[in-house]
Amino acid sequence: MQITFIIPCFNASKIINENNKKLNKFIKKTKIKEKIIYINDGSEDDTLRELKKIKSKNIRIINNKYNLGKSKSIINVLKTVKAKNVVLIDCDLPYFEYLKTTIKNLRKYDLITINRKLKNSINIDKRKNLYKITRNFISNFLGILVEKKLKLNVNGDTQAGLKAFRMNSHIKKNKFFSKYYFLDIELINLFKKKKLKIKLIPVKFKISDQSNIKFFSLKNFKIIFEFFKVLKKISI
């Protein structure tokens, strides 16, 4: 199976090399034909320097001099991908234990996505702080709005950091509007509208207390504006 991994990175210098070794170990075991595209999205640390230490003919590094946003960075790359299958995974490799299952399902489904809201999914996080509780509340609230507006049938979970899909002409031709974090919503909506097969995978999960999104930041207003813009544009 031919797969292109797209991995956006922002200020990930401390984890990028070890996680690359972890991913390559998995690739060798599963014997897939792969290409890994790392996107350094204007990191303010040594992420680019660490990425350049990785020596492999199957790795491509894209460096954004300025922070374009996670979604915008992925969209730019998607237009150039030639592989039949794509895996989108965050640089901290979330839900890594489900990667094999995700890839296996590419033989039957067009889009596979981790879903934390399924009945069989379990939140195993026993240590909850104010940040995690607030983040979970906001995520649930936005998920309810998405389901009410678009009826995606994903129980409101669109932001998990692991997805895989078969490339098709619809993706190449589609006009995406997301810049920051809402490409996932657009992808799921696109596959649903085209009546392609979507597979949701239940998981055991924890709510991360690490995020580039800070509660008290002016950037949040831009993110909220983009959220409603995306809902409006793709619901037409």
Side-chain angles (χ1 to χ4, degrees), residues 109-126:
Y109 297 91
D110 299 290
L111 171 66
I112 303 95
T113 176
I114 294 301
N115 192 291
R116 297 159 293 188
K117 306 297 183 183
L118 293 175
K119 290 182 179 180
N120 294 335
S121 290
I122 303 172
N123 184 349
I124 58 174
D125 198 348
K126 296 181 180 179

Side-chain angles (χ1 to χ4, degrees), residues 1-4 32-35 82-86 106:
M1 182 180 289
Q2 185 184 36
I3 296 176
T4 290
I32 57 177
K33 296 180 180 179
E34 95 295 347
K35 182 170 186 178
K82 297 180 180 179
K84 295 180 179 179
N85 305 288
V86 169
L106 279 169

